[in-house]
Amino acid sequence: MNTNGRGRLTRGCWRGGRGGLILWCFLSVLPSAVGAAPHSDATQECLACHVDATPGIVSDWQRSRHAETTPADALQAAPLHRKVSSEEIPQSLQGTSVGCAECHTLNPQDHKDTVEHNGYSMHVVVTPRDCRTCHRQEADQYGENIMAHAYGNLVNNSLYVQLTESINGIQVLESGRLKTAEVHPQTNDDACLSCHGTRVEVQGTVSRETDLGEMDFPVLTGWPNVGVGRLNPDGSKGSCSSCHARHAFSIEVARKPDTCSQCHKGPDVPAYKVYQVSKHGNIYASQKDKWNFRNVPWVVGKDFNAPTCAACHVSLLVDEGGNVVAQRTHRMNDRLPWRIFGLIYSHAHPKNPDTSSIRNAQGLALPTNLDGSPVKEALIDGEEQERRRANLHAVCLGCHSTSWVEGHWDRFQKTLEETNRMTRTATEIMGRAWERGIARGPGSDGNPFDEPMEKLWVEQWLFFANSIRFSSAMMGSDYGVFDNGRWYQSKGLREMMRRLEMGRPGARDDEKP
């Protein structure tokens, strides 16, 4: 039995109904219960079974904008208030809500994870390419984002692969020496690739018994995952649900810094911890219950009165007169002239979001040389840096005076200079250790990140320098002094120097087979 899209019982419910479930299905799919928008017949059929099979998912979707409006209605909003960026949306999708079927049966021919499911060609993984149907600009911008290339930037860079092996590899004691075993793929999926994104591939299908009888489901490797650079079965990169958690895909969730904390908490990327101890984070924690996180555009001073991650880097911001303060962007570095974390030195942002092809003077896939000098041809120039700085300044000037903003920026750039200089000192010490054979560096047979001296070196830039930079950038200075910053950077340098002075050729504690 099919529905008319307005709440009658579905074929799936009749086939799978158990006693009171039929009445429950009937009540659950009425538009008055889930929003004003009519739902397609296919989505009604999905709801009729999944309200029992996955009630949390259904409830989440019912509270979403997708359930409450149609693409046709969304297109009628004034440009600044519009939440879709595609000028043309297929007519077949415009008249109903964006429901289960509209997402999970879209573009089935492109999805290797498509299976027959209760009469429909259904795919499990919904991708940025699917979301692009209504959100073209956001999807295209995200595809040009370093985040979208996070998987390849990690696994296609042999130097980073060695770093992940030194972290994730199981260490065993053999003949009095530590040896590191090969990393299991699931270990990487559970560690670094949890944020960078996994490669989701179809390995076949499996049959499971359901209320509607036996059904086939795809067997996926690298799943589940919502990493920012996930490689999807349709060939696309990324996951919109990294920030807009499924199935509500809420703007409110994406705008709150708690969402960003999933991957930006530290100690390598301590943005969230720094934000918490900053004055901005203090205001957010104290007053967030009074803010409007759903309004589009986001009005500075009215909807919120201190920045979140999204306010600085992503959201469309206007003043109370409707004047645009910052355009919406899903290229996260559009307002960032400097790249301050994850690498040995801070540097201007790369021109290409795929950074795995960059080579420095030492032949390493790094945007700087080991002495800190930039690989200029791979990085944006000063003019582009200034444009991006002006974009971010505009956000700051929504609440602060010019002298405040410029003073803060001058201090931040001094921090970049000093942390790079301290990192250079650590790298010079490390270089001497490699020369003397105390450890095996780049170009040798060993892993340049796995020995005790090398781990101290990694901490210098991956933990301590990053913490100092974030603390300076986000006005959380206390975190950058004693917690994980300047104190430990200076202490670590002394320890590295002590090991260099005591070291001798061949005095390695770790060896990889």
Side-chain angles (χ1 to χ4, degrees), residues 379-422:
L379 307 177
I380 61 175
D381 59 23
E383 183 178 347
E384 177 62 16
Q385 279 191 287
E386 185 57 37
R387 186 191 71 80
R388 295 186 185 188
R389 183 168 74 164
N391 288 341
L392 187 55
H393 274 198
V395 178
C396 302
L397 290 168
C399 296
H400 297 290
S401 67
T402 300
S403 61
W404 180 285
V405 174
E406 290 182 350
H408 169 67
W409 196 265
D410 288 344
R411 187 181 296 165
F412 170 60
Q413 289 191 293
K414 173 56 68 174
T415 297
L416 297 185
E417 177 187 322
E418 291 184 345
T419 52
N420 278 354
R421 188 63 189 88
M422 290 283 276

Side-chain angles (χ1 to χ4, degrees), residues 2 11-12 15 41-43 45-46 49-50 101 104-105 108 114-123 210 212-217:
N2 289 321
R11 173 168 55 88
R15 290 172 60 188
D41 287 355
T43 285
E45 193 160 351
C46 298
C49 294
H50 278 272
H104 286 278
T105 66
T114 296
V115 294
E116 189 281 328
H117 186 72
N118 201 26
Y120 295 96
S121 296
M122 181 275 299
H123 50 83
T210 74
L212 297 182
E214 193 174 84
M215 287 186 173
D216 291 334
F217 298 89

Side-chain angles (χ1 to χ4, degrees), residues 57 60 104 124-125 223-224 226 240-242 244-250:
I57 288 176
D60 218 20
H104 286 278
V124 173
V125 186
W223 187 257
V226 292
C240 301
S241 55
S242 297
H244 299 275
R246 57 181 199 161
H247 281 81
F249 296 101
S250 165

Side-chain angles (χ1 to χ4, degrees), residues 5 40 60 67 107 118 135 138 140 211 345 451 487:
S40 68
D60 218 20
N107 306 317
N118 201 26
H135 303 282
E138 291 80 5
D140 288 349
D211 287 344
Y345 297 96
E451 298 174 61
W487 168 262

Side-chain angles (χ1 to χ4, degrees), residues 75-89:
L75 287 169
Q76 298 305 310
L80 279 181
H81 297 271
R82 193 173 297 164
K83 302 168 190 67
V84 294
S85 58
S86 299
E87 295 297 330
E88 296 182 3
I89 297 173

Side-chain angles (χ1 to χ4, degrees), residues 110-386:
D110 297 331
H111 279 263
K112 293 181 180 179
D113 57 324
T114 296
V115 294
E116 189 281 328
H117 186 72
N118 201 26
Y120 295 96
S121 296
M122 181 275 299
H123 50 83
V124 173
V125 186
V126 177
T127 72
R129 186 176 296 170
D130 298 322
C131 300
R132 188 178 184 273
T133 304
C134 296
H135 303 282
R136 178 182 297 267
Q137 185 180 57
E138 291 80 5
D140 288 349
Q141 287 175 340
Y142 191 83
E144 299 169 355
N145 187 12
I146 285 180
M147 284 184 175
H149 293 264
Y151 174 87
N153 287 343
L154 185 66
V155 304
N156 296 331
N157 185 320
S158 59
L159 200 62
Y160 293 172
V161 169
Q162 288 182 306
L163 179 60
T164 61
E165 288 174 346
S166 73
I167 298 169
N168 297 337
I170 300 298
Q171 298 187 42
V172 295
L173 191 64
E174 292 185 7
S175 303
R177 291 185 178 273
L178 278 177
K179 293 188 176 182
T180 304
E182 184 177 354
V183 182
H184 193 282
Q186 287 188 332
T187 302
N188 279 337
D189 288 353
D190 194 50
C192 304
L193 296 180
S194 177
C195 286
H196 278 254
T198 58
R199 178 186 290 274
V200 181
E201 294 183 300
V202 180
Q203 299 299 310
T205 60
V206 61
S207 295
R208 297 193 187 111
E209 191 64 35
T210 74
D211 287 344
L212 297 182
E214 193 174 84
M215 287 186 173
D216 291 334
F217 298 89
V219 177
L220 304 175
T221 59
W223 187 257
N225 181 262
V226 292
V228 293
R230 187 182 70 198
L231 299 189
N232 299 305
D234 66 348
S236 65
K237 296 182 176 72
S239 169
C240 301
S241 55
S242 297
C243 302
H244 299 275
R246 57 181 199 161
H247 281 81
F249 296 101
S250 165
I251 290 176
E252 178 177 357
V253 169
R255 281 174 169 173
K256 290 184 176 179
D258 313 80
T259 294
C260 305
S261 73
Q262 181 176 347
C263 293
H264 292 267
K265 200 165 188 174
D268 58 324
V269 194
Y272 183 73
K273 287 187 175 181
V274 172
Y275 180 79
Q276 284 181 309
V277 300
S278 73
K279 185 55 64 181
H280 292 155
N282 171 228
I283 295 170
Y284 165 78
S286 301
Q287 300 183 3
K288 62 184 178 181
D289 292 342
K290 301 175 184 176
W291 292 5
N292 181 350
F293 288 94
R294 290 174 58 88
N295 199 23
V296 176
W298 217 9
V299 183
V300 179
K302 180 181 178 182
D303 294 331
F304 67 101
N305 61 315
T308 67
C309 315
C312 288
H313 301 297
V314 183
S315 296
L316 169 61
L317 306 180
V318 300
D319 60 24
E320 293 197 46
N323 302 300
V324 174
V325 173
Q327 293 287 353
R328 179 190 296 116
T329 181
H330 280 60
R331 250 186 325 262
M332 305 302 176
N333 59 14
D334 273 356
R335 305 175 194 171
L336 292 175
W338 295 100
R339 192 177 180 201
I340 67 172
F341 72 92
L343 294 159
I344 300 174
Y345 297 96
S346 62
H347 56 274
H349 261 281
K351 294 177 182 177
N352 190 331
D354 179 359
T355 62
S356 62
S357 61
I358 297 175
R359 292 295 180 273
N360 68 7
Q362 293 82 36
L364 304 173
L366 294 172
T368 62
N369 297 304
L370 290 181
D371 65 1
S373 59
V375 182
K376 291 184 178 180
E377 63 271 18
L379 307 177
I380 61 175
D381 59 23
E383 183 178 347
E384 177 62 16
Q385 279 191 287
E386 185 57 37

